[in-house]
DNA sequence: AAGTAATCGAGACGGTACGTCTCGTCTTTAG
DNA sequence: CTAAAGACGAGACGTACCGTCTCGATTACTT
């Protein structure tokens, strides 16, 4: 017997309105920057002003939803059940992350920026973007440690912070995030290993 | 005959107006964030709107001037002519940096944030804040390398990026920047050394 | 065989909904003026928005129904079959009218006000409020003329307009509508009579 | 020595902006009714939204200024130093009043309407429109009384209220305000006189 | 008993207007 | 020429209503 979500009273929300808002918001911000007016977004989405405010209370929250739902931000989680050196696994993973981030570097910068003046936004960004990526890298590093690829006395969380930090540092300074940089980061993180 | 700056025609600029603007701008941004209106700043400074625009063309430029002139952001440059392990020198330096940053963490976050939507601002921030600090750390790391404290094949610039990146990462995520973290960063950067 | 309204198909209308709407609409307009939102009315009546629109197409129509059904606006028609001076009859009648109007002066002002921007509303207000009262006064004045209490060459319709006009004038200017004013009006209308 | 208004500090208000606002507001309300949006008025006047709000806080106040300044509402005050019957003087005056009112009957209706929900507006309307006209008629009636054209025991203020009331009554009911009605009103007011 | 149809509460929808806010420029008098 | 003051055009903001529409549920009459 399938569990079914109870239908709330009243006219149900139009899912297409939400989709159109996310789609157009993302498009307009990519084209014109974060400064696009809400009026422009709702006009492009063919939706009323209140409909937007029924769903999100700020432009930032709408964009956050849009980014993670529509933008191709999802990166395959490394499969640690496979054999082979974790150094290569992490290099591949970081290159893929960099690849996706390069596509929406402006948007990400805007989000990190926005998070600075909006604690709620920062929390969401942390939960949905920062922490998942941090945990993946920490997992790979722990596995590498268990396999003897990294010294036992090092702290995987610290290494992950340095890797992601360097990534943020270059992102926020608008410096290139290329494959070589990804590889160099991982090389240095695994240095001194067997 | 003494060389004298040529006196421009008309009423001379009031230096106190500039000082008041910088002082009040910094204070208000610390209290209320970057979003304070220009009207609030000129009102606090007791200055007319045009007077501000006569001197700076944006709020960001005013604040940059204010930051480097009024905020206590200067850290002593490590003296590499002295003997002793560079690991300790770097640890001391990073602790001092963290100490100063903690005092104005909000302000710094606001500046990094603002730099994301303002390339000119980012360039100035890079030239006057990021790069000088990066060069100091790179210099210390190079010296440590010359002294055999760090392996020859490592890239000081990359290590500096990881250290500063981890620092930014925690700053922007509002995670603590304490002495232990400063020490741990340097420890890991020097790990595996003789 | 009793005549019976044909029962329409479907669920019958809930009479209590209409009553609640009229009652609450009148109450809220008395308290807050004509500007009360429809949302406030339906909320107070515990009724859905569509239910109101099923019965009335504007707030004004709802209120007109409410006014004549619920507000105590009915005044006894003078009995001209009785002997005695018509001057006294009219004085009594006008005093009674003033008495009722004083109770709902705000409401009446609101209705006259609303009628100015709504011709349909004005027509209904005229048919159901203005004209009946005008006819009563004209009838009394004609009877007085027949009895020689008023000169034959005067126009009862004009006198009625002057009496009711003076009444409106004071009502709309928020000047007092007391018994003395009612008496003075009738005195002047009858002045110079035998 | 001519008294001169002290020039306030700052950029002076642009008188043309005020004029354009009054002119266009009056024109649009005459064309489309009181419901015209503020946006339409400022657009027609070529003026910013704030400029309107710098001068008036509501559409009604703007229109009140506009009406008495731009609309041809001024009626010549009867010259009581001239000889001749006051009955004729008052008839001429009332005909002229009716003539002017007919041109802006809609606007006047709107103002009386607006005054019902806005005590401040009502006060201004009373001071600038109602009372001056009332005083003129009372003056003429008193003079007529002194000349024996009207009985001594009648109350000029009451007669004025009946005349103006009948005028309002017909105005608000959208009944014709023609010359005959003006004459009939005055005739009845002077009835029974020598 | 099943089907049909209008009603009900709830609330989302597109749309319009509102009054406030901020921006950077402009226009005045005074120094 | 600069200062203080403040008006200006421009336009975004979030809120409030409007009258319509869309649900599931309810309540009668008609088969």
């Amino acid at each position: 017997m399938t569990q079914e979500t109870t239908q709330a009273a009243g006219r149900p929300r139009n899912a297409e309105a939400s989709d159109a808002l996310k789609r157009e918001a993302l498009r307009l911000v990519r084209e014109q920057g974060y400064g696009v007016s809400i009026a422009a977004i709702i006009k492009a989405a063919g939706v009323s002003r209140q409909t937007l405010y029924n769903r999100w209370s700020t432009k930032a929250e709408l964009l956050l939803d849009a980014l993670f739902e529509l933008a191709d931000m999802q990166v395959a989680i490394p499969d640690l059940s496979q054999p082979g050196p974790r150094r290569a696994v992490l290099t591949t993973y970081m290159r893929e992350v960099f690849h996706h981030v390069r596509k929406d570097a402006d948007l990400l910068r805007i989000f990190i920026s926005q998070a600075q003046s909006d604690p709620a936004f920062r929390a969401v960004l942390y939960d949905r973007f920062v922490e998942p990526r941090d945990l993946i890298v920490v997992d790979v590093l722990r596995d590498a440690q268990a396999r003897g690829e990294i010294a036992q006395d090092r702290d995987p969380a610290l290494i992950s912070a340095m890797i992601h930090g360097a990534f943020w540092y270059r992102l926020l300074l608008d410096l290139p995030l290329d494959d070589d940089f990804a590889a160099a980061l991982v090389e240095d993180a695994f240095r001194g290993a067997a």
Side-chain angles (χ1 to χ4, degrees), chain A residues 8-19:
Chain A
R11 179 174 174 175
R13 288 191 173 172
N14 179 358
E16 168 54 21
S18 294
D19 290 347

Side-chain angles (χ1 to χ4, degrees), chain A residues 18-19 32-33 65 70 74 79 103 119 144 153 177 190 194:
Chain A
S18 294
D19 290 347
Q32 307 172 26
D65 270 10
L70 301 183
Q74 308 309 323
D79 183 358
K103 288 194 316 186
D153 62 346
L177 288 170
F190 276 78

Side-chain angles (χ1 to χ4, degrees), chain A residues 37-107:
Chain A
S37 72
I38 287 178
I41 295 173
I42 61 174
K43 190 178 173 188
V47 143
S48 79
R49 188 174 279 263
Q50 191 55 54
T51 296
L52 189 158
Y53 284 105
N54 281 346
R55 292 163 162 80
W56 299 278
S57 55
T58 65
K59 195 164 47 172
E61 290 179 26
L62 160 60
L63 281 170
L64 205 53
D65 270 10
L67 181 69
F68 292 110
E69 209 164 302
L70 301 183
D72 187 11
M73 277 289 174
Q74 308 309 323
V75 173
I77 299 176
D79 183 358
L80 297 180
S81 67
Q82 298 296 317
R86 295 328 184 204
R87 180 193 302 229
V89 168
L90 191 57
T91 301
T92 302
Y93 172 76
M94 289 308 298
R95 280 179 170 158
E96 204 176 345
V97 168
F98 278 26
H99 175 71
H100 284 96
V101 164
R102 271 200 301 274
K103 288 194 316 186
D104 273 308
D106 281 349
L107 214 49

Side-chain angles (χ1 to χ4, degrees), chain A residues 69-158:
Chain A
E69 209 164 302
L70 301 183
D72 187 11
M73 277 289 174
Q74 308 309 323
V75 173
I77 299 176
D79 183 358
L80 297 180
S81 67
Q82 298 296 317
R86 295 328 184 204
R87 180 193 302 229
V89 168
L90 191 57
T91 301
T92 302
Y93 172 76
M94 289 308 298
R95 280 179 170 158
E96 204 176 345
V97 168
F98 278 26
H99 175 71
H100 284 96
V101 164
R102 271 200 301 274
K103 288 194 316 186
D104 273 308
D106 281 349
L107 214 49
L108 256 184
R109 272 200 290 266
I110 285 165
F111 281 16
I112 294 172
S113 165
Q114 184 63 20
Q116 301 314 308
S117 56
D118 184 343
F121 193 103
R122 174 159 49 208
V124 177
L125 188 67
Y126 185 81
D127 290 346
R128 296 182 61 174
F129 185 81
V130 176
E131 195 179 37
R133 280 159 177 76
D134 185 57
L135 289 179
I136 289 171
V137 170
V138 167
D139 278 349
V140 175
L141 291 171
R142 282 223 185 86
D143 195 54
Q145 227 171 9
R147 294 164 51 102
E149 289 186 60
I150 294 182
Q152 297 300 322
D153 62 346
R154 297 185 65 201
D155 177 5
L158 182 65

